[in-house]
Every structure is written in C-alpha cells, then in structure tokens.
Amino acid sequence: MSATITIGTKRPTTLTATSRPAYPRVDAGTRAFFGRVAQTLACAPKHPGRPTGFHTSVYASVLDVLPFAVVVFDPDHRYLNPAAIRDPDIRAWIVGKDDFEYCAYRGLDVSLAQTRRRVLFESVVRREPLSFEENISRDDGTTYYWRHFFPVYSGDRLVLVLGYSMDVSALKRAETELTEFNQRLEQRVLDRTREREAVNWQLEHLALYDALTGLPNRTLLNDRLAQAHGAY
C-alpha cells in the first residue's frame, strides 16, 4: 500500500509513503490527549480567513490551557500560531511562514526543515500522530528535542496539524553520562580481571619455580612426574 501527497505551496514537496512507518508512532496516552484537543479544534465554528473548523477564540482558549506549547500548522505546513517560539521577534514574524523559511531566517541547516516536512507528511498520509528526535547545534552546544505531529481531519479533509516538542537535552546528557559510567565500570572490571590473572600467574610461578635461580623446583618436578605416570 502506498500514498502520494503534495505539501506546501511556496516550496511544494511531493512524497510517497509506503505501508511501513518511517517514524515511531506516538504513545497511546499522548494520542488520546491530542485526539481530544483535535476534536475540540475541528468542531469549532468556521472563521473567515482560517481553515475550516478553526475559530480564533476557541483555538486560543484551548491552546492557552495546555501545560506545554503547541504549534498549529495549516495544510500547507505554514505556522498558524507561534506559541512554541520563545523569541518575541521570531514569534511575530513566523506566522504564515514554513520551516524552510524559518531555517533560512535562523541560519539553520535545511535538512532540519526537510526532516520536519517528511515526518509531517508521514503523519498526514497515515492519519496518525508520529514522533521523531531532532537535534539543533549552535555555538553554545547541541539541544535535543522529541517532536510530535498530530493531523486533524474533518471527514476526508485535512484541517490542520498540531505539533509540540519537548526539550530532552537533560535526558540525553544523563543517558550519555550513564553510558560513559558503564563503559568506565566495564573497563575497571576488565582491568581488575587482568590484574587477578596476573597475580594468579605470579603465585603459580612462585610455587613451581625457584625464586633465586628461576629454575623449576621439586614441586613442578613432582607434578610433571605425576602427569607422565598418569599418561601410561
């Protein structure tokens, strides 16, 4: 099974999805929560200049009570609200823009916009929420995000796409520190094992060889004689 869809008017992207998801599905709890939000937005009265089912007052009242910032995209992947943008200048500028324009404006790699559009497309064509990890590198370091897209349909018509993200940089750092700790622990165990093997070898050598001359002693001789006797 496959489907083809074109997203975007300024920079149209035509992609084809196969029956196998390219990105992980959103967990059941998040799916249910955004399903309720999407139903509220989709059932709102029509408003001139907005997509079908998108009423400014209802839209604002719903998004304002959410415990985290939610971005709303129109069917062409353009920002309808800038709630998740912290910078006030960018927040005022970005309405009506897409991620390609955002990356150009911020000097970010275009691959970031390409990945976002591909995941959004996968979500739209499958009619299900999808998530993906994204990292943005700047002079002060790398920030990691876990992003989600949730398409909202009215019948067979795509009304809008909800998006939200979580900064998981602290979690990534903790995972990295834990991995490094485990690696150090494994190396320490390996070093201790080698040290024990070396000590055991030294003890065995002292037991079987003369400490002054380094020649085999009577214990080793008796051991070899016993081995030879047992072979016959």
Side-chain angles (χ1 to χ4, degrees):
M1 176 183 175
S2 64
T4 301
I5 189 171
T6 299
I7 295 178
T9 54
K10 297 179 181 179
R11 294 173 179 80
T13 302
T14 301
L15 301 167
T16 300
T18 61
S19 57
R20 183 178 181 180
Y23 300 93
R25 294 181 174 87
V26 172
D27 63 88
T30 303
R31 182 192 300 265
F33 175 78
F34 270 92
R36 292 192 293 271
V37 175
Q39 184 178 15
T40 301
L41 293 176
C43 293
K46 294 183 179 179
H47 181 76
R50 295 289 190 180
T52 301
F54 192 93
H55 188 275
T56 303
S57 60
V58 175
Y59 148 78
S61 63
V62 171
L63 297 183
D64 285 346
V65 299
L66 295 180
F68 42 79
V70 176
V71 173
V72 180
F73 299 98
D74 69 10
D76 286 325
H77 195 188
R78 294 174 300 200
Y79 286 83
L80 291 177
N81 85 304
I85 306 296
R86 296 180 181 178
D87 189 300
D89 294 331
I90 299 177
R91 190 162 56 243
W93 168 85
I94 201 170
V95 175
K97 308 295 194 305
D98 60 24
D99 277 317
F100 288 92
E101 293 168 295
Y102 173 73
C103 287
Y105 185 80
R106 296 296 304 274
L108 300 173
D109 195 294
V110 70
S111 62
L112 184 146
Q114 293 169 341
T115 299
R116 290 183 181 182
R117 176 159 292 187
R118 179 169 291 277
V119 182
L120 183 141
F121 155 77
E122 291 277 359
S123 178
V124 166
V125 78
R126 298 182 195 288
R127 297 195 176 199
E128 64 178 356
L130 295 178
S131 58
F132 69 106
E133 184 181 290
E134 177 182 276
N135 62 80
I136 300 178
S137 297
R138 299 185 178 89
D139 293 338
D140 57 348
T142 300
T143 306
Y144 295 86
Y145 298 94
W146 191 243
R147 301 196 185 280
H148 307 265
F149 286 125
F150 194 111
V152 180
Y153 278 87
S154 178
D156 291 331
R157 183 173 179 273
L158 177 66
V159 178
L160 48 86
V161 178
L162 302 178
Y164 82 99
S165 63
M166 295 179 292
D167 186 335
V168 294
S169 300
L171 177 61
K172 294 291 290 187
R173 286 193 294 270
E175 290 177 347
T176 300
E177 292 173 359
L178 180 60
T179 299
E180 292 175 350
F181 173 79
N182 288 334
Q183 291 174 345
R184 291 195 299 270
L185 182 61
E186 291 174 359
Q187 185 61 48
R188 185 174 180 181
V189 171
L190 181 60
D191 292 341
R192 292 296 298 273
T193 301
R194 289 173 176 170
E195 290 174 3
R196 176 172 294 183
E197 291 175 349
V199 170
N200 289 338
W201 180 89
Q202 186 176 12
L203 291 174
E204 182 179 355
H205 184 81
L206 291 173
L208 301 177
Y209 292 85
D210 185 81
L212 294 177
T213 65
L215 297 175
N217 60 18
R218 184 178 295 277
T219 302
L220 180 58
L221 176 61
N222 291 337
D223 178 71
R224 294 297 185 266
L225 289 174
Q227 292 183 20
H229 178 74
Y232 292 97

